Amino acid sequence: IHQSLMLLSYPQVFALHHGLAAAHYCLPVEMREWWIQVGLLTVPLIAVYLHIPPPHLSPALHSWKASGAFFTFKGNVIFYKDSWGAVGSSDVVVLLHGFPTSSYDWYKIWDGLNMRFNRVIALDFLGFGFSDKPRPHRYSIFEQANIVEGLMAHLGLMEQKINLLSHDYGDTVALELLYRSEHNRSGNLKISSLCLSNGGIFPETHYPRFLQKLLKDSGFVSPILTRLMNFLFFSKGIGAVFGPYTQPSDGEYWDMWTGIRFNDGNLVMDSILQYINQRLKHRDRWVGALAATTIPLHMIYGPLDPVNPHPQFIQLYQQLVERSTVSVLDDHISHYPQLEDPTGFLNAYLNFINSF
């Protein structure tokens, strides 16, 4: 029991102490010892619960990790996957994933992209997937954009025009990269095209999930909440942003959760979620770059998305980004279109790429 008590944080021990004290003074004498025994038995159970080891990698996740590589950026190790594909093409596509998942979000369209592009590249952002998840750390969109540029330099692609394909959180990273490219910032990427998908790029039409708002705004309570997060809680939350007919399988839920728990990623989610506040603060910078660019633009949109709801989101997008083409997928496709409708998503993207 003493070892289990040592595993608890100070707020947890403080709460336990006062709970037991209340039981001691408020209950009849014959009940006090019983409640104390219950409390002492509960402590090790809570301690074990809060320190459940991460699940083992599934064969699919293990294969994904084994087929990738790592590079170091400012002391942090970043996972990436780089596949050589179509012979005779020089086109490169870089995939930027969403929150709270990882580069594995692209696995259903990876082979299809390999048939069209010479190189298909994806990374796990800092704090996600197989990459390092430092804490405490001030996670930011600007840092993630720096990491993408660092990866391109590592791969010798800073002089190569690249196509960006992004989703959710990755959309905002892509917009920062676009801003730098448009303003000829030193070390910026040469962007050939940009395709976004279901990202909350407009704060006024973005509706974060309850847990996201709770984690980003709860201050000292957030670290406690991240430790209390478990698979059932996660799967219910993430399932709410998939369509009713396109729900992940149990194995897919576990792969998502495993990617989060790898390197204790659940413990940094509150820090990463500050990107929602960053979107609001830097709206003019990022939306302005999107509205002003002259590169080919496309949006692939799952219209059942509760985070970026239809029709408000897509109407505002078409109003502000007049040059962009748009693919709206079937009515039952929601926030993860590349997983829910990989064929429709891939066809929409390739039609866009082949149009210029």
Side-chain angles (χ1 to χ4, degrees):
I1 290 174
H2 178 263
Q3 291 177 338
S4 299
L5 279 167
M6 294 296 290
L7 293 174
L8 295 176
S9 66
Y10 175 78
Q12 291 165 339
V13 173
F14 182 84
L16 176 63
H17 169 76
H18 282 268
L20 291 175
H24 180 78
Y25 289 110
C26 298
L27 294 174
V29 175
E30 60 270 18
M31 294 288 288
R32 290 176 190 170
E33 290 186 4
W34 184 83
W35 274 110
I36 291 171
Q37 291 175 8
V38 169
L40 292 175
L41 288 172
T42 301
V43 168
L45 294 177
I46 293 174
V48 169
Y49 173 74
L50 295 177
H51 292 78
I52 295 174
H56 294 295
L57 301 185
S58 69
L61 271 187
H62 187 273
S63 176
W64 185 266
K65 183 171 181 282
S67 66
F70 294 87
F71 86 108
T72 301
F73 183 84
K74 294 187 175 180
N76 290 305
V77 176
I78 304 297
F79 172 82
Y80 69 93
K81 186 174 165 72
D82 178 12
S83 294
W84 292 76
V87 177
S89 170
S90 61
D91 293 342
V92 176
V93 62
V94 177
L95 314 178
L96 307 177
H97 68 80
F99 176 92
T101 41
S102 70
S103 60
Y104 192 62
D105 289 350
W106 304 108
Y107 83 96
K108 288 187 178 181
I109 65 169
W110 193 269
D111 290 342
L113 292 173
N114 257 332
M115 295 176 66
R116 170 60 180 80
F117 291 92
N118 178 247
R119 290 176 81 171
V120 181
I121 301 165
L123 76 158
D124 288 347
F125 291 125
L126 186 69
F128 296 79
F130 298 128
S131 292
D132 279 355
K133 298 167 180 177
R135 67 181 199 276
H137 186 80
R138 289 182 176 272
Y139 290 87
S140 78
I141 294 297
F142 299 99
E143 180 183 40
Q144 305 289 18
N146 292 342
I147 290 170
V148 176
E149 290 175 341
L151 175 60
M152 294 301 101
H154 175 74
L155 297 176
L157 292 172
M158 290 304 290
E159 299 302 317
Q160 167 83 43
K161 280 199 166 186
I162 64 168
N163 301 280
L164 291 178
L165 173 56
S166 59
H167 171 244
D168 184 64
Y169 180 89
D171 282 4
T172 305
V173 179
L175 294 185
E176 172 57 22
L177 293 167
L178 178 64
Y179 177 90
R180 297 178 186 186
S181 178
E182 294 290 305
H183 290 78
N184 296 314
R185 294 294 178 89
S186 176
N188 62 264
L189 302 184
K190 293 176 169 55
I191 301 174
S192 178
S193 72
L194 171 59
C195 180
L196 308 166
S197 59
N198 285 80
I201 55 179
F202 307 123
E204 58 268 45
T205 61
H206 180 238
Y207 297 88
R209 309 305 293 167
F210 173 74
L211 181 58
Q212 290 180 320
K213 291 188 285 187
L214 193 64
L215 286 174
K216 81 179 180 70
D217 294 329
S218 294
F220 71 92
V221 178
S222 295
I224 299 173
L225 296 176
T226 58
R227 285 191 176 275
L228 291 173
M229 192 177 299
N230 59 43
F231 172 75
L232 292 177
F233 198 48
F234 164 77
S235 59
K236 184 176 180 181
I238 200 78
V241 300
F242 280 75
Y245 309 115
T246 54
Q247 289 286 300
S249 66
D250 286 345
E252 288 169 333
Y253 275 129
W254 274 108
D255 283 341
M256 292 180 198
W257 178 238
T258 300
I260 290 170
R261 285 298 318 277
F262 192 88
N263 286 340
D264 291 327
N266 56 303
L267 302 183
V268 303
M269 294 180 89
D270 55 328
S271 300
I272 292 174
L273 277 164
Q274 298 310 308
Y275 80 86
I276 296 174
N277 298 330
Q278 293 164 25
R279 278 175 173 169
L280 181 61
K281 181 178 180 180
H282 302 289
R283 181 195 184 281
D284 291 347
R285 176 187 179 98
W286 293 331
V287 175
L290 184 61
T293 187
T294 58
I295 68 168
L297 292 174
H298 193 64
M299 167 67 73
I300 303 176
Y301 179 59
L304 201 59
D305 186 356
V307 182
N308 306 287
H310 187 272
Q312 300 100 302
F313 170 80
I314 204 65
Q315 286 177 349
L316 184 60
Y317 181 83
Q318 291 175 313
Q319 175 188 337
L320 297 181
V321 196
E322 295 180 359
R323 290 190 59 261
S324 178
T325 51
V326 173
S327 295
V328 178
L329 302 180
D330 290 346
D331 290 346
H332 64 276
I333 304 302
S334 187
H335 185 65
Y336 273 85
Q338 75 275 43
L339 291 174
E340 298 179 64
D341 183 12
T343 300
F345 188 98
L346 182 63
N347 287 340
Y349 183 60
L350 293 182
N351 286 338
F352 162 62
I353 286 294
N354 293 329
S355 69
F356 59 89

